[in-house]
């Protein structure tokens, strides 16, 4: 669809930023906020993180709700070659044992997508913690967020690659990040090519 015909999504009232220096913006636990995020198709520009001393938006992750155990079981059934186990020390037994490593597994999936499928290295899958209504699962497979990617969404071929790996039966959508769930007045700066939060007020 051309940009001229693409629908323009109005900025949801529930997600408005603070109106003064003392306000923290919306609260992550409200139904109206979570409902508005669930309905987002694109990221309105005020929610894209920007450099400078200003209000920084909550972090939103784009992907699919999925637990670590679900990721492991799905990969065991479909792509066991992408699973990474690492040695972990058990203080109870004073021994090390091999355990599934979610983060290292996502790194391997990223390498597979970039090296074998030749997809853009811009899009990196990660396991993230989220807040969502009526969903006890706190984790999601995230392929984009409004801090690293701004308003840009991953291309269809990137989404399809993850659908092929994880057998998702729903399209990706936006989730509110558990650890960055509200507006704050912050100093944003670049560090190693990424936007980071330097100071909270």
């Amino acid at each position: 669809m051309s940009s001229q015909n693409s629908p323009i999504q109005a900025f949801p009232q529930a997600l408005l930023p603070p109106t003064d220096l003392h306000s923290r913006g919306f609260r992550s636990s409200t139904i109206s906020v979570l409902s508005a995020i669930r309905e987002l198709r694109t990221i309105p520009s005020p929610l894209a993180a920007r450099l400078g001393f200003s209000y920084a938006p909550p972090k939103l992750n784009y992907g699919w709700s999925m637990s670590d155990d679900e990721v492991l079981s799905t990969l065991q059934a479909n792509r066991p070659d992408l699973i990474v186990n690492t040695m972990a020390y058990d203080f109870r037994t004073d021994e090390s044992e091999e355990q599934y490593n979610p983060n290292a597994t996502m790194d391997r999936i990223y390498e597979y997508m970039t090296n074998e499928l030749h997809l853009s290295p811009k899009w990196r899958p990660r396991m993230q913690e989220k807040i969502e209504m009526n969903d006890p699962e706190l984790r999601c497979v995230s392929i984009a967020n409004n801090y690293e990617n701004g308003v840009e969404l991953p291309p269809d071929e990137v989404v399809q690659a993850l659908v092929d790996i994880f057998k998702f039966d729903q399209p990706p959508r936006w989730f509110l990040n558990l650890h960055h769930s509200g507006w704050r007045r912050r100093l944003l700066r670049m560090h190693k090519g990424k936007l980071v939060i330097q100071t909270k007020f």
Side-chain angles (χ1 to χ4, degrees), residues 71-85 100 104-113 116-117 164-165:
V71 167
L72 177 58
S73 62
T74 301
L75 292 177
Q76 286 173 332
N78 299 289
R79 292 300 305 266
D81 57 305
L82 297 177
I83 297 173
V84 176
N85 295 318
Y100 167 63
T105 295
M106 287 295 158
D107 289 341
R108 176 170 289 180
I109 292 172
Y110 174 70
E111 292 173 358
Y112 165 74
M113 293 171 63
E116 297 188 38
L117 299 183
D164 292 342
I165 293 170

Side-chain angles (χ1 to χ4, degrees), residues 1-200:
M1 182 180 293
S2 69
S3 59
Q4 289 181 339
N5 297 326
S6 299
I8 302 300
Q9 188 166 8
F11 191 81
Q13 291 293 311
L15 304 184
L16 286 172
T19 56
D20 57 66
L21 296 180
H22 305 289
S23 173
R24 296 177 63 189
F26 65 73
R27 295 182 179 276
S28 62
S29 59
T30 62
I31 293 176
S32 60
V33 164
L34 297 177
S35 296
I37 290 173
R38 188 180 182 91
E39 296 301 318
L40 286 177
R41 299 184 302 278
T42 59
I43 286 291
S45 58
L47 286 176
R50 293 177 173 83
L51 290 172
F53 185 63
S54 62
Y55 283 110
K59 186 176 183 180
L60 302 178
N61 292 103
Y62 188 70
W64 300 263
S65 178
M66 198 175 207
S67 68
D68 290 322
D69 289 342
E70 289 173 325
V71 167
L72 177 58
S73 62
T74 301
L75 292 177
Q76 286 173 332
N78 299 289
R79 292 300 305 266
D81 57 305
L82 297 177
I83 297 173
V84 176
N85 295 318
T86 55
M87 299 303 294
Y89 179 72
D90 190 334
F91 291 94
R92 296 168 299 180
T93 63
D94 196 30
E95 296 180 353
S96 295
E97 61 179 10
E98 195 174 67
Q99 294 182 359
Y100 167 63
N101 188 319
N103 293 329
T105 295
M106 287 295 158
D107 289 341
R108 176 170 289 180
I109 292 172
Y110 174 70
E111 292 173 358
Y112 165 74
M113 293 171 63
T114 55
N115 297 335
E116 297 188 38
L117 299 183
H118 306 293
L119 298 173
S120 171
K122 181 176 183 177
W123 308 101
R124 189 181 194 105
R126 295 183 177 94
M127 295 302 296
Q128 297 284 289
E129 295 184 329
K130 63 179 175 63
I131 303 173
E132 189 183 10
M133 293 186 303
N134 304 319
D135 185 358
E137 177 50 52
L138 290 177
R139 301 274 273 174
C140 68
V141 176
S142 172
I143 188 57
N145 67 73
N146 59 323
Y147 273 72
E148 294 183 14
N149 309 107
V151 300
E152 189 177 0
L153 293 178
D156 292 342
E157 57 267 25
V158 171
V159 172
Q160 187 59 50
L162 290 173
V163 169
D164 292 342
I165 293 170
F166 293 107
K167 307 303 179 185
F168 296 123
D169 58 4
Q170 298 290 329
R173 57 188 177 84
W174 291 101
F175 297 98
L176 181 62
N177 188 280
L178 177 63
H179 303 290
H180 301 276
S181 58
W183 289 88
R184 300 290 187 274
R185 194 180 184 201
R186 298 170 180 168
L187 179 61
L188 299 180
R189 64 183 180 87
M190 293 296 293
H191 177 68
K192 296 182 178 180
K194 296 181 179 180
L195 276 173
V196 295
I197 302 164
Q198 183 172 2
T199 310
K200 277 188 185 181

